Amino acid sequence: MRENDMLEKEEIFSKVLRAGRRTYFFDVRATKADDYYITITESKKFTEEDGSFHFKKHKIYLYKEDFTAFTEILEEMTSYVLNHKGEEVISERHQKDFKKEYVTERVNTEDSVSSISNFTDIDFDDI
């Protein structure tokens, strides 16, 4: 058995946060020496065209000696975002009732011609 498997063998305390396609797992685990550390796992669901799906996982190991600095920086970063952008989610795709709508814009012919004249033609054989 690999050392990482042994380190993650015992879960002491867990919490789950479901957030759309993502799920966050917060786990307190014990080392062989019976000391505690935290793992934070992000699991994101991806659906294939055939309807099958798979999950991608990313994990952070957080040890006691880093708790204070990690907590301070996380608090500072979240406060910064909330103070500058508020709590309202402004990303359309994160809204539960989001439906992609396409807006057709009327293009002025003169503007279209001037933007085309600024176009640089690239021949990929030159690269």
Side-chain angles (χ1 to χ4, degrees), residues 16-25 41-44 55:
V16 175
L17 170 62
R18 299 197 194 298
R21 290 187 331 156
R22 292 182 172 87
T23 302
Y24 299 97
F25 300 92
T41 306
E42 175 201 40
S43 179
K44 189 173 179 182
F55 294 92

Side-chain angles (χ1 to χ4, degrees), residues 18 20 29 31 48 56 61 68-69 72 85-86 88 92 99 112 124:
R18 299 197 194 298
R29 298 181 183 268
T31 65
E48 304 295 337
K56 285 190 180 179
Y61 294 84
T68 301
E72 288 172 0
K85 294 296 181 179
E88 180 184 0
E92 292 174 339
K99 290 181 184 168
S112 179
F124 287 103

Side-chain angles (χ1 to χ4, degrees), residues 9-98:
K9 191 173 182 180
E10 187 179 355
E11 285 185 19
I12 308 301
F13 180 67
S14 295
K15 291 276 188 172
V16 175
L17 170 62
R18 299 197 194 298
R21 290 187 331 156
R22 292 182 172 87
T23 302
Y24 299 97
F25 300 92
F26 299 84
D27 299 301
V28 174
R29 298 181 183 268
T31 65
K32 288 182 188 179
D34 201 32
D35 200 4
Y36 290 173
Y37 65 100
I38 296 172
T39 60
I40 302 170
T41 306
E42 175 201 40
S43 179
K44 189 173 179 182
K45 184 176 182 179
F46 289 90
T47 305
E48 304 295 337
E49 290 180 16
D50 65 0
S52 65
F53 59 89
H54 68 279
F55 294 92
K56 285 190 180 179
K57 295 182 180 182
H58 299 94
K59 188 171 283 201
I60 296 172
Y61 294 84
L62 188 58
Y63 299 96
K64 289 190 310 188
E65 60 267 23
D66 301 321
F67 285 2
T68 301
F70 186 91
T71 303
E72 288 172 0
I73 292 172
L74 182 61
E75 174 62 33
E76 182 180 356
M77 300 305 281
T78 56
S79 293
Y80 180 88
V81 170
L82 295 175
N83 289 336
H84 286 82
K85 294 296 181 179
E87 293 186 22
E88 180 184 0
V89 176
I90 56 177
S91 175
E92 292 174 339
R93 65 188 188 122
H94 289 96
Q95 296 174 5
K96 291 183 181 186
D97 60 347
F98 171 69

